[in-house]
Amino acid sequence: MKLTTKIFIGLFGGIVVGLFLQNNPDIANTFIKPFGVLFLNLIKMLIVPLVFSSLIVGAASIGDIKTLGRIGGKTLAYYLFTTAFAVTIGIILSKVINPGLGLSMPVNINTIAAKDAPPIIDILLNIIPKNPLRGMVEGNMLQIITFALFLGIGTTSLPEDKSKPFISFFDSLAEIMYKITGLIMALAPIGVFGLITPVVASNGMAVLLPLLKVIGAVYIGCLIQTLFVYCVTVKVFAKYSPIKFLKGILPAATMAFSTTSSSGTLPVSIRCIENNIGVSNKIASFVLPLGATINMGGTALYQGVCAMFVAQIYGVDLTISQMTTIVLTSTLGAIGTAGIPGGGLIMLSVVLASVGLPLEGITLIAGIDRILDMARTSINVVGDLAASTVIAATENELKDVKTIQVNMIH
Ligand code: ASP
């Protein structure tokens, strides 16, 4: 049986068993969740060395600063444009679906303090690490990326005899990380089962029903973003079949759905995009680690929906300029959102604060956040993969892949 099929069995098995255990979520949390946590930890173990080494090699192999600037510019433009589009979809959908109608917010409940989320300016200033080693130890992905990019740029301006040993070392490190990913992926069906079962068991229908419209808006929005933004750009700019694209990236999207972590999905995304879509290692190792950290179309869409939802339950009528502020804050905030489970929920307080909406609204959403996180993380990852395909095509770095290697272990 193919690995993707097995992962799907793990996913659906987890949903079925989770529904079955709805009245006893403790059983799922005690006996099944540890398998998911174990799998997640194995994947997380690879993230820092993988992002660091693959970005150094990616930036160095692009060759010269001019090309690096061009590819970096295209990547950023794609990410920012599609993210802004995603928030707008979220806002429009909420205007149509009105998820907050009929709900009113209970008062006097604990709130997530605004101090949990740093101001946007701090996020932007902190991109430069004062101490890169500390950034690495703390797993601060933005700082790791910045330092790796500087190292990559530095190596391109050295003579080859000086830069080669350095690049070879990190090239070899990245290859080792890909290899280990392949081994760990054999455990993915069990890991996915272990991650999904407790989520379904603890989020029974009673929790979900009152907020079904929010869930619906986020899921429909994610579908629209995938089909009308990511698939269309893949078709138009890369002349690549959207069906083939979706089929090829399915393992990464499933991983994102069950782990709710873009960073955690990165090793699988890199393998999918190279083996199944045909994007060169040079582009994949530059665009994907960057995307896993700064590109969050799904998260931005979710923030658009949630901001409108909070406005509706408090009876606040947002003006056009406030909605524009939401688009801007969500798009910039996405850069600072960590690609980890629940990262977007923290950033939501920045978005709400930017237009003066009560932060208490977050507590309602927090109850169903995991369900929303599964959808938005998948879309974040699909966006990264679409960007790689589009940029690879425009750089002539997209080769023809005849067969999709669904079994990703080699
Ligand atoms: N979990 C998301 C991700 O890793 C971030 C978020 O919470 O929105 O992409």
Side-chain angles (χ1 to χ4, degrees), residues 103-134:
L103 273 179
S104 62
M105 191 60 193
V107 273
N108 281 340
I109 40 174
N110 290 332
T111 174
I112 293 178
K115 66 175 162 50
D116 282 350
I120 296 275
I121 182 72
D122 283 1
I123 294 169
L124 298 177
L125 287 178
N126 274 331
I127 287 178
I128 310 283
K130 278 184 286 205
N131 177 351
L133 290 183
R134 185 162 158 202

Side-chain angles (χ1 to χ4, degrees), residues 50-62 144-145 147-153 155-156 166-167 170-171 285-286:
L50 178 64
V51 168
F52 191 59
S53 54
S54 75
L55 258 183
I56 291 176
V57 178
S61 65
I62 285 175
I144 294 173
I145 284 182
F147 188 52
L149 285 179
F150 272 114
L151 286 175
I153 293 168
T155 49
T156 55
F166 180 83
I167 299 173
F170 283 104
D171 194 20
S285 58
F286 179 79

Side-chain angles (χ1 to χ4, degrees), residues 260-263 296 299 337-345 373 376-377 380:
T260 62
S261 168
S262 315
S263 302
M296 308 255 164
T299 300
T337 304
I340 54 168
L345 185 69
D373 206 357
R376 66 181 189 253
T377 308
N380 291 344

Side-chain angles (χ1 to χ4, degrees), residues 201-266:
S202 337
N203 288 278
M205 281 304 160
V207 182
L208 302 188
L209 271 182
L211 295 171
L212 218 52
K213 277 190 184 168
V214 179
I215 300 173
V218 171
Y219 274 70
I220 294 172
C222 285
L223 197 68
I224 295 178
Q225 176 78 2
T226 303
L227 296 180
F228 295 101
V229 179
Y230 297 137
C231 283
V232 167
T233 50
V234 161
K235 177 78 193 153
V236 172
F237 296 112
K239 313 263 177 297
Y240 198 93
S241 150
I243 308 264
K244 224 169 109 191
F245 171 74
L246 290 176
K247 220 166 136 187
I249 61 157
L250 198 60
T254 316
M255 264 298 277
F257 189 79
S258 22
T259 60
T260 62
S261 168
S262 315
S263 302
T265 308
L266 183 64

Side-chain angles (χ1 to χ4, degrees), residues 262-273:
S262 315
S263 302
T265 308
L266 183 64
V268 184
S269 305
I270 295 183
R271 294 172 70 85
C272 267
I273 206 78

